[in-house]
Amino acid sequence: MTSTDAVPGTYRVIHPELQRRFTQRATHTVTWHSDHGAFASHESDTVALLSLLARL
């Protein structure tokens, strides 16, 4: 089983080091220059990521 974590690069509510620790459990990680609303502010990236994951 694979998992993917999308990390908003400028989100500071969770300490960046703690975010990196969370992503270590994921098989794949993507980082977007974004705040909390990464999926909303990166709509085309979200669609591309979901399309890629659906083909796996």
Side-chain angles (χ1 to χ4, degrees):
M1 179 190 258
T2 63
S3 60
T4 301
D5 189 9
V7 179
T10 58
Y11 182 58
R12 297 294 181 237
V13 173
I14 299 173
H15 192 275
E17 183 57 37
L18 185 56
Q19 288 182 30
R20 282 188 280 279
R21 285 180 39 206
F22 290 154
T23 62
Q24 288 176 351
R25 298 179 65 182
T27 308
H28 303 96
T29 303
V30 294
T31 302
W32 294 327
H33 184 73
S34 177
D35 58 7
H36 180 72
F39 296 115
S41 62
H42 289 266
E43 294 173 2
S44 60
D45 292 327
T46 300
V47 170
L49 177 61
L50 292 173
S51 295
L52 173 72
L53 294 173
R55 290 190 298 263
L56 294 179

